[in-house]
């Protein structure tokens, strides 16, 4: 499944939340969110460390971003992306 199909599959949930909460995110969390919005398929198949390295951010930034948009942590945030790839 390509990024567009993954984005369409989860668009109404996580990606919309990221967009809706954009202004409330810290600059670092916005950088993390931008990476997620541009590379949704990567989120479902990569570890938080791999995603953070690709985005040139720290793994904890992705954890904080996930919490800022209402998830308990990064694993909960990543689950819809993994489901979309299945």
């Amino acid at each position: 499944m390509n990024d567009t199909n993954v984005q369409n599959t989860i668009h109404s949930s996580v990606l919309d939340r990221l967009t809706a909460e954009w202004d409330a995110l810290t600059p670092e969390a916005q950088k993390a969110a931008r990476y997620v919005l541009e590379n949704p398929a990567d989120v479902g198949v990569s570890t938080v460390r791999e995603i953070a390295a690709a985005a040139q951010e720290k793994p904890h930034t992705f954890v904080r971003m996930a919490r800022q948009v209402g998830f308990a942590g990064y694993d909960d945030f990543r689950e819809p992306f993994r489901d979309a790839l299945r």
Side-chain angles (χ1 to χ4, degrees):
M1 186 176 284
N2 64 34
D3 282 351
T4 302
N5 290 340
V6 171
Q7 189 170 5
N8 289 338
T9 302
I10 58 178
H11 187 266
S12 64
S13 60
V14 180
L15 300 180
D16 280 350
R17 284 166 80 172
L18 284 175
T19 302
E21 297 292 328
W22 185 266
D23 291 335
L25 297 174
T26 64
E28 295 83 9
Q30 285 180 351
K31 187 175 178 184
R34 182 176 298 111
Y35 184 86
V36 171
L37 291 166
E38 292 174 356
N39 304 282
D42 292 353
V43 177
V45 297
S46 301
T47 67
V48 68
R49 290 184 188 276
E50 292 167 337
I51 293 295
Q56 298 179 349
E57 272 300 332
K58 296 177 181 158
H60 190 67
T61 300
F62 281 82
V63 174
R64 281 183 304 198
M65 176 206 61
R67 289 181 180 154
Q68 287 178 353
V69 295
F71 291 89
Y74 186 78
D75 288 338
D76 291 333
F77 173 82
R78 182 174 63 173
E79 194 59 34
F81 294 87
R82 297 180 103 182
D83 289 345
L85 291 170
R86 289 184 191 136

